[in-house]
Amino acid sequence: MGSILVVAEIQNGAIREASYELASVAQSLAGTSGREVKSLVMGSGIGALAEEFSKKGGGSVLVADDAALENYNVDAANAAVRAAVEAASADLILLSNTPSGWDVAPRLAAGLDAGFVGDCFRIDFDGGQFNFRRRVFNGKLDAHVSAIEGTIVATVQPGATPPFEGTTDGSTSDLSVGFEGVRAKFVETKKSDSTGVDLSKADIIVSGGRGVGAPEKFAEVIQPLADALGGAMGASRPVVDAGWLPHHYQVGSSGQVVQPKLYIAAGISGAIQHLVGMKSSNYIIAINKDPDAPIFEVANLGVVADLFDVVPALTEAVNGAKG
Amino acid sequence: MKIMVCLKQVPHQDARLDIDSAGTWIQESNIKFEINTYDTYALEEALRAKDEGECEVVVVSIGPDRTTQALRTALGMGADRAVHIKDEEADGSDALGLAKLLAAVAKEESPDTIFTGFMSDDDNFAAVPPMLAELVGLPHTTAAVKVVRGDSSLTVDRETEGGSYEVVELPLPCLVSVQTGINQVRYASLKGIMAAKKKPLDVKSVADLGLSGSVGAGAAKVKIEKIAPPPKGDTAELLEGSTDEVVAGLVTKIKELGLL
């Protein structure tokens, strides 16, 4: 019997929330599949983080601590995970569907000659096998996928599972990794511009869609409401593909998946690929002229009206309410 | 220089998605297909390199007869040659099976760069590009939003999160999967479409690629058991009235949420 290997990710000097979500998935599957949970924490100078993760769902943590792992590098990460898979005798390897996870996980699977299931929102063990659920056709349909045999690599959609809470008996041990095969070179991380906001951390997001009509209207109408509420501005895919806003504003399955306390969708009809990215928000307000727009199916509160009537008036009212 | 571009033909974005009788995929008869959106950007990226200098662009696709249309479109846009992997034995391949087929072509072609789309609009896996890179033994990166070509390397901005990018340098040969919006995709001109009719389009079988028994449903490690519409949520409570009334209602709600 193999083990379940959680590949944790470090972001801004801490273990990512998504990694605690993986720990939660792994701990639950450990019970149903009779497997032990092991984890990999990789980075440079990360001993304390590994210790912390082992006590919070990570179980037996393999620690790959090397300067080569300081910044994400696909080849270095792949080498570390390969070493961990071997050390842990893992037959289910879980990564988050983050920029690092989606980059390395399929490569890892091919190298292991393993099955791969990407961007799952749920994993179960029943009938003696792992079963996965994921969206297909940009969220229009759900697929139930089963692993036929052998080792499986899966990525899990961030935000789809509550993070692990509680404590576990954990341990850490050093993992030795060879980095001879590293060819890709990390150069730097950069922000596209000063307005680049990690939407996944914003409490309030005000997003505009095709209904906003023109690029300049985002600055004139949508951004002021986001600013008044102390939130961030987002957009749907057609806005970004038309070149009205840079891609980092995009909320959706091909952009950012967000879960703010309040999401306001203005002029967004609600193509499923957008809904996948925001429907887990705590509270959703939709403003759209079309009463049949699918956005109203996921919204808590809806206004069927022209966004150009409602949004500027709301901005003014919010600014007034703050005194 | 040679650039290989992997294309997938997928159901049109506005196509009706009816589930097939087996309940494991959609009914593909009587719907329109198109080149996967992401892949059009990958092709454009290759054609821009061709515009700048001497370069052969080879497009490769796996699929039934209808896939010819996607390849002809790509040739019409400016690609030089097409390879069509067409074989019922490939049906039911999982991502790894598809990557094996493409890898066999890549090994024959030995391109300097492989461009692919970041993911496909139908199964949304985003798995084939990194798998292909691993199988061919090339360095790779994903979700590229900018590619700068050097003499012996590519410098790529890959999209990460929250408006951040990672800049990665890859020695040639390498594989890059591209994000939508990386460029503005050209249309095939009438002249291009006419010229495309004379361009080579090779058809390869699974056996031609030496992969009999290694791909297709029988070799797949993962399998779709069922597809179904996602559970439908409840419809929103609607605020009605004048703009002032609606706005007052919204402000009240935002205050209740403790956000104002």
PDB file of all heavy atoms in Angstrom, chain B residues 123-149:
ATOM      1  N   ASP B 123     -11.759  19.752 -22.326  1.00  0.00           N
ATOM      2  CA  ASP B 123     -11.548  19.025 -21.067  1.00  0.00           C
ATOM      3  C   ASP B 123     -10.774  19.812 -20.013  1.00  0.00           C
ATOM      4  O   ASP B 123     -10.661  19.374 -18.873  1.00  0.00           O
ATOM      5  CB  ASP B 123     -10.960  17.627 -21.300  1.00  0.00           C
ATOM      6  CG  ASP B 123      -9.561  17.662 -21.890  1.00  0.00           C
ATOM      7  OD1 ASP B 123      -8.887  18.695 -21.759  1.00  0.00           O
ATOM      8  OD2 ASP B 123      -9.154  16.652 -22.487  1.00  0.00           O
ATOM      9  N   ASN B 124     -10.276  20.981 -20.379  1.00  0.00           N
ATOM     10  CA  ASN B 124      -9.667  21.899 -19.393  1.00  0.00           C
ATOM     11  C   ASN B 124      -8.573  21.250 -18.548  1.00  0.00           C
ATOM     12  O   ASN B 124      -8.406  21.579 -17.368  1.00  0.00           O
ATOM     13  CB  ASN B 124     -10.735  22.493 -18.445  1.00  0.00           C
ATOM     14  CG  ASN B 124     -11.866  23.224 -19.139  1.00  0.00           C
ATOM     15  OD1 ASN B 124     -12.969  23.287 -18.622  1.00  0.00           O
ATOM     16  ND2 ASN B 124     -11.621  23.771 -20.323  1.00  0.00           N
ATOM     17  N   PHE B 125      -7.814  20.333 -19.121  1.00  0.00           N
ATOM     18  CA  PHE B 125      -6.817  19.611 -18.334  1.00  0.00           C
ATOM     19  C   PHE B 125      -5.506  20.383 -18.149  1.00  0.00           C
ATOM     20  O   PHE B 125      -4.889  20.344 -17.099  1.00  0.00           O
ATOM     21  CB  PHE B 125      -6.503  18.255 -18.998  1.00  0.00           C
ATOM     22  CG  PHE B 125      -7.009  17.083 -18.221  1.00  0.00           C
ATOM     23  CD1 PHE B 125      -8.078  16.330 -18.676  1.00  0.00           C
ATOM     24  CD2 PHE B 125      -6.424  16.733 -17.020  1.00  0.00           C
ATOM     25  CE1 PHE B 125      -8.560  15.236 -17.955  1.00  0.00           C
ATOM     26  CE2 PHE B 125      -6.887  15.647 -16.297  1.00  0.00           C
ATOM     27  CZ  PHE B 125      -7.953  14.900 -16.765  1.00  0.00           C
ATOM     28  N   ALA B 126      -5.038  21.059 -19.181  1.00  0.00           N
ATOM     29  CA  ALA B 126      -3.741  21.767 -19.137  1.00  0.00           C
ATOM     30  C   ALA B 126      -2.590  20.798 -18.853  1.00  0.00           C
ATOM     31  O   ALA B 126      -1.588  21.178 -18.264  1.00  0.00           O
ATOM     32  CB  ALA B 126      -3.755  22.900 -18.116  1.00  0.00           C
ATOM     33  N   ALA B 127      -2.750  19.540 -19.244  1.00  0.00           N
ATOM     34  CA  ALA B 127      -1.762  18.524 -18.873  1.00  0.00           C
ATOM     35  C   ALA B 127      -0.814  18.156 -20.004  1.00  0.00           C
ATOM     36  O   ALA B 127       0.353  17.842 -19.755  1.00  0.00           O
ATOM     37  CB  ALA B 127      -2.484  17.260 -18.404  1.00  0.00           C
ATOM     38  N   VAL B 128      -1.308  18.154 -21.241  1.00  0.00           N
ATOM     39  CA  VAL B 128      -0.493  17.641 -22.339  1.00  0.00           C
ATOM     40  C   VAL B 128       0.827  18.412 -22.528  1.00  0.00           C
ATOM     41  O   VAL B 128       1.867  17.783 -22.706  1.00  0.00           O
ATOM     42  CB  VAL B 128      -1.319  17.560 -23.651  1.00  0.00           C
ATOM     43  CG1 VAL B 128      -0.421  17.318 -24.851  1.00  0.00           C
ATOM     44  CG2 VAL B 128      -2.367  16.453 -23.538  1.00  0.00           C
ATOM     45  N   PRO B 129       0.820  19.753 -22.467  1.00  0.00           N
ATOM     46  CA  PRO B 129       2.099  20.446 -22.747  1.00  0.00           C
ATOM     47  C   PRO B 129       3.263  20.043 -21.821  1.00  0.00           C
ATOM     48  O   PRO B 129       4.320  19.639 -22.340  1.00  0.00           O
ATOM     49  CB  PRO B 129       1.729  21.931 -22.643  1.00  0.00           C
ATOM     50  CG  PRO B 129       0.262  21.964 -22.963  1.00  0.00           C
ATOM     51  CD  PRO B 129      -0.300  20.704 -22.378  1.00  0.00           C
ATOM     52  N   PRO B 130       3.102  20.103 -20.478  1.00  0.00           N
ATOM     53  CA  PRO B 130       4.243  19.673 -19.650  1.00  0.00           C
ATOM     54  C   PRO B 130       4.575  18.188 -19.829  1.00  0.00           C
ATOM     55  O   PRO B 130       5.751  17.805 -19.764  1.00  0.00           O
ATOM     56  CB  PRO B 130       3.771  19.941 -18.212  1.00  0.00           C
ATOM     57  CG  PRO B 130       2.708  20.983 -18.339  1.00  0.00           C
ATOM     58  CD  PRO B 130       2.024  20.665 -19.640  1.00  0.00           C
ATOM     59  N   MET B 131       3.558  17.361 -20.077  1.00  0.00           N
ATOM     60  CA  MET B 131       3.824  15.929 -20.302  1.00  0.00           C
ATOM     61  C   MET B 131       4.650  15.731 -21.569  1.00  0.00           C
ATOM     62  O   MET B 131       5.603  14.948 -21.595  1.00  0.00           O
ATOM     63  CB  MET B 131       2.502  15.169 -20.452  1.00  0.00           C
ATOM     64  CG  MET B 131       1.766  14.988 -19.144  1.00  0.00           C
ATOM     65  SD  MET B 131       0.221  14.098 -19.432  1.00  0.00           S
ATOM     66  CE  MET B 131      -0.128  13.553 -17.756  1.00  0.00           C
ATOM     67  N   LEU B 132       4.256  16.453 -22.618  1.00  0.00           N
ATOM     68  CA  LEU B 132       4.974  16.369 -23.886  1.00  0.00           C
ATOM     69  C   LEU B 132       6.435  16.781 -23.686  1.00  0.00           C
ATOM     70  O   LEU B 132       7.353  16.113 -24.175  1.00  0.00           O
ATOM     71  CB  LEU B 132       4.267  17.265 -24.910  1.00  0.00           C
ATOM     72  CG  LEU B 132       4.930  17.471 -26.273  1.00  0.00           C
ATOM     73  CD1 LEU B 132       5.157  16.156 -26.990  1.00  0.00           C
ATOM     74  CD2 LEU B 132       4.056  18.396 -27.133  1.00  0.00           C
ATOM     75  N   ALA B 133       6.643  17.862 -22.955  1.00  0.00           N
ATOM     76  CA  ALA B 133       8.010  18.338 -22.690  1.00  0.00           C
ATOM     77  C   ALA B 133       8.820  17.257 -21.979  1.00  0.00           C
ATOM     78  O   ALA B 133       9.966  16.976 -22.345  1.00  0.00           O
ATOM     79  CB  ALA B 133       7.970  19.617 -21.852  1.00  0.00           C
ATOM     80  N   GLU B 134       8.217  16.628 -20.985  1.00  0.00           N
ATOM     81  CA  GLU B 134       8.921  15.583 -20.232  1.00  0.00           C
ATOM     82  C   GLU B 134       9.267  14.404 -21.146  1.00  0.00           C
ATOM     83  O   GLU B 134      10.388  13.892 -21.111  1.00  0.00           O
ATOM     84  CB  GLU B 134       8.043  15.121 -19.059  1.00  0.00           C
ATOM     85  CG  GLU B 134       8.568  13.919 -18.286  1.00  0.00           C
ATOM     86  CD  GLU B 134       9.803  14.205 -17.431  1.00  0.00           C
ATOM     87  OE1 GLU B 134      10.101  15.389 -17.179  1.00  0.00           O
ATOM     88  OE2 GLU B 134      10.466  13.232 -17.013  1.00  0.00           O
ATOM     89  N   LEU B 135       8.301  13.992 -21.965  1.00  0.00           N
ATOM     90  CA  LEU B 135       8.521  12.820 -22.815  1.00  0.00           C
ATOM     91  C   LEU B 135       9.580  13.075 -23.889  1.00  0.00           C
ATOM     92  O   LEU B 135      10.317  12.170 -24.275  1.00  0.00           O
ATOM     93  CB  LEU B 135       7.207  12.368 -23.464  1.00  0.00           C
ATOM     94  CG  LEU B 135       6.112  11.884 -22.498  1.00  0.00           C
ATOM     95  CD1 LEU B 135       4.839  11.554 -23.279  1.00  0.00           C
ATOM     96  CD2 LEU B 135       6.557  10.666 -21.705  1.00  0.00           C
ATOM     97  N   VAL B 136       9.636  14.323 -24.376  1.00  0.00           N
ATOM     98  CA  VAL B 136      10.628  14.644 -25.403  1.00  0.00           C
ATOM     99  C   VAL B 136      11.966  15.011 -24.765  1.00  0.00           C
ATOM    100  O   VAL B 136      13.013  14.977 -25.414  1.00  0.00           O
ATOM    101  CB  VAL B 136      10.113  15.782 -26.326  1.00  0.00           C
ATOM    102  CG1 VAL B 136      11.102  16.077 -27.452  1.00  0.00           C
ATOM    103  CG2 VAL B 136       8.765  15.431 -26.920  1.00  0.00           C
ATOM    104  N   GLY B 137      11.898  15.346 -23.472  1.00  0.00           N
ATOM    105  CA  GLY B 137      13.128  15.728 -22.775  1.00  0.00           C
ATOM    106  C   GLY B 137      13.481  17.192 -22.949  1.00  0.00           C
ATOM    107  O   GLY B 137      14.650  17.564 -22.966  1.00  0.00           O
ATOM    108  N   LEU B 138      12.451  18.034 -23.088  1.00  0.00           N
ATOM    109  CA  LEU B 138      12.684  19.471 -23.260  1.00  0.00           C
ATOM    110  C   LEU B 138      12.328  20.237 -21.993  1.00  0.00           C
ATOM    111  O   LEU B 138      11.394  19.859 -21.286  1.00  0.00           O
ATOM    112  CB  LEU B 138      11.785  20.022 -24.387  1.00  0.00           C
ATOM    113  CG  LEU B 138      11.906  19.414 -25.769  1.00  0.00           C
ATOM    114  CD1 LEU B 138      10.905  20.078 -26.712  1.00  0.00           C
ATOM    115  CD2 LEU B 138      13.326  19.579 -26.298  1.00  0.00           C
ATOM    116  N   PRO B 139      13.031  21.331 -21.708  1.00  0.00           N
ATOM    117  CA  PRO B 139      12.551  22.211 -20.639  1.00  0.00           C
ATOM    118  C   PRO B 139      11.245  22.888 -21.086  1.00  0.00           C
ATOM    119  O   PRO B 139      10.995  23.006 -22.291  1.00  0.00           O
ATOM    120  CB  PRO B 139      13.676  23.242 -20.485  1.00  0.00           C
ATOM    121  CG  PRO B 139      14.440  23.209 -21.762  1.00  0.00           C
ATOM    122  CD  PRO B 139      14.241  21.840 -22.363  1.00  0.00           C
ATOM    123  N   HIS B 140      10.432  23.298 -20.139  1.00  0.00           N
ATOM    124  CA  HIS B 140       9.155  23.909 -20.530  1.00  0.00           C
ATOM    125  C   HIS B 140       8.741  24.984 -19.541  1.00  0.00           C
ATOM    126  O   HIS B 140       9.257  25.054 -18.421  1.00  0.00           O
ATOM    127  CB  HIS B 140       8.050  22.844 -20.603  1.00  0.00           C
ATOM    128  CG  HIS B 140       7.338  22.612 -19.296  1.00  0.00           C
ATOM    129  ND1 HIS B 140       7.806  21.751 -18.331  1.00  0.00           N
ATOM    130  CD2 HIS B 140       6.211  23.164 -18.769  1.00  0.00           C
ATOM    131  CE1 HIS B 140       6.992  21.754 -17.288  1.00  0.00           C
ATOM    132  NE2 HIS B 140       6.020  22.604 -17.516  1.00  0.00           N
ATOM    133  N   THR B 141       7.769  25.782 -19.970  1.00  0.00           N
ATOM    134  CA  THR B 141       7.033  26.621 -19.036  1.00  0.00           C
ATOM    135  C   THR B 141       5.604  26.743 -19.534  1.00  0.00           C
ATOM    136  O   THR B 141       5.304  26.374 -20.669  1.00  0.00           O
ATOM    137  CB  THR B 141       7.707  27.996 -18.832  1.00  0.00           C
ATOM    138  OG1 THR B 141       7.111  28.628 -17.687  1.00  0.00           O
ATOM    139  CG2 THR B 141       7.521  28.901 -20.047  1.00  0.00           C
ATOM    140  N   THR B 142       4.721  27.230 -18.655  1.00  0.00           N
ATOM    141  CA  THR B 142       3.290  27.273 -18.978  1.00  0.00           C
ATOM    142  C   THR B 142       2.729  28.685 -18.807  1.00  0.00           C
ATOM    143  O   THR B 142       3.299  29.510 -18.096  1.00  0.00           O
ATOM    144  CB  THR B 142       2.504  26.340 -18.047  1.00  0.00           C
ATOM    145  OG1 THR B 142       2.877  26.614 -16.702  1.00  0.00           O
ATOM    146  CG2 THR B 142       2.769  24.871 -18.348  1.00  0.00           C
ATOM    147  N   ALA B 143       1.587  28.916 -19.439  1.00  0.00           N
ATOM    148  CA  ALA B 143       0.836  30.172 -19.297  1.00  0.00           C
ATOM    149  C   ALA B 143       1.686  31.397 -19.640  1.00  0.00           C
ATOM    150  O   ALA B 143       1.698  32.390 -18.918  1.00  0.00           O
ATOM    151  CB  ALA B 143       0.233  30.288 -17.892  1.00  0.00           C
ATOM    152  N   ALA B 144       2.388  31.301 -20.764  1.00  0.00           N
ATOM    153  CA  ALA B 144       3.244  32.411 -21.179  1.00  0.00           C
ATOM    154  C   ALA B 144       2.406  33.598 -21.642  1.00  0.00           C
ATOM    155  O   ALA B 144       1.428  33.430 -22.370  1.00  0.00           O
ATOM    156  CB  ALA B 144       4.165  31.958 -22.313  1.00  0.00           C
ATOM    157  N   VAL B 145       2.816  34.790 -21.227  1.00  0.00           N
ATOM    158  CA  VAL B 145       2.155  36.004 -21.713  1.00  0.00           C
ATOM    159  C   VAL B 145       3.126  36.880 -22.498  1.00  0.00           C
ATOM    160  O   VAL B 145       2.743  37.903 -23.058  1.00  0.00           O
ATOM    161  CB  VAL B 145       1.511  36.813 -20.565  1.00  0.00           C
ATOM    162  CG1 VAL B 145       0.318  36.063 -19.997  1.00  0.00           C
ATOM    163  CG2 VAL B 145       2.517  37.105 -19.462  1.00  0.00           C
ATOM    164  N   LYS B 146       4.403  36.464 -22.535  1.00  0.00           N
ATOM    165  CA  LYS B 146       5.394  37.187 -23.352  1.00  0.00           C
ATOM    166  C   LYS B 146       6.556  36.246 -23.630  1.00  0.00           C
ATOM    167  O   LYS B 146       7.017  35.554 -22.722  1.00  0.00           O
ATOM    168  CB  LYS B 146       5.879  38.414 -22.591  1.00  0.00           C
ATOM    169  CG  LYS B 146       6.796  39.318 -23.393  1.00  0.00           C
ATOM    170  CD  LYS B 146       7.238  40.500 -22.529  1.00  0.00           C
ATOM    171  CE  LYS B 146       8.303  41.325 -23.222  1.00  0.00           C
ATOM    172  NZ  LYS B 146       8.895  42.290 -22.282  1.00  0.00           N
ATOM    173  N   VAL B 147       6.975  36.192 -24.878  1.00  0.00           N
ATOM    174  CA  VAL B 147       8.116  35.346 -25.245  1.00  0.00           C
ATOM    175  C   VAL B 147       9.126  36.209 -26.003  1.00  0.00           C
ATOM    176  O   VAL B 147       8.781  36.838 -27.000  1.00  0.00           O
ATOM    177  CB  VAL B 147       7.670  34.168 -26.152  1.00  0.00           C
ATOM    178  CG1 VAL B 147       8.887  33.341 -26.578  1.00  0.00           C
ATOM    179  CG2 VAL B 147       6.651  33.281 -25.429  1.00  0.00           C
ATOM    180  N   VAL B 148      10.350  36.266 -25.492  1.00  0.00           N
ATOM    181  CA  VAL B 148      11.419  36.997 -26.177  1.00  0.00           C
ATOM    182  C   VAL B 148      12.463  35.984 -26.640  1.00  0.00           C
ATOM    183  O   VAL B 148      12.974  35.203 -25.830  1.00  0.00           O
ATOM    184  CB  VAL B 148      12.064  38.048 -25.243  1.00  0.00           C
ATOM    185  CG1 VAL B 148      13.215  38.763 -25.964  1.00  0.00           C
ATOM    186  CG2 VAL B 148      11.024  39.050 -24.762  1.00  0.00           C
ATOM    187  N   ARG B 149      12.749  35.991 -27.949  1.00  0.00           N
ATOM    188  CA  ARG B 149      13.638  35.001 -28.520  1.00  0.00           C
ATOM    189  C   ARG B 149      15.088  35.484 -28.506  1.00  0.00           C
ATOM    190  O   ARG B 149      15.386  36.568 -28.987  1.00  0.00           O
ATOM    191  CB  ARG B 149      13.195  34.722 -29.963  1.00  0.00           C
ATOM    192  CG  ARG B 149      13.989  33.672 -30.705  1.00  0.00           C
ATOM    193  CD  ARG B 149      13.279  33.278 -31.982  1.00  0.00           C
ATOM    194  NE  ARG B 149      12.064  32.542 -31.679  1.00  0.00           N
ATOM    195  CZ  ARG B 149      12.022  31.221 -31.446  1.00  0.00           C
ATOM    196  NH1 ARG B 149      13.121  30.513 -31.473  1.00  0.00           N
ATOM    197  NH2 ARG B 149      10.888  30.631 -31.194  1.00  0.00           N
TER     198      ARG B 149
END
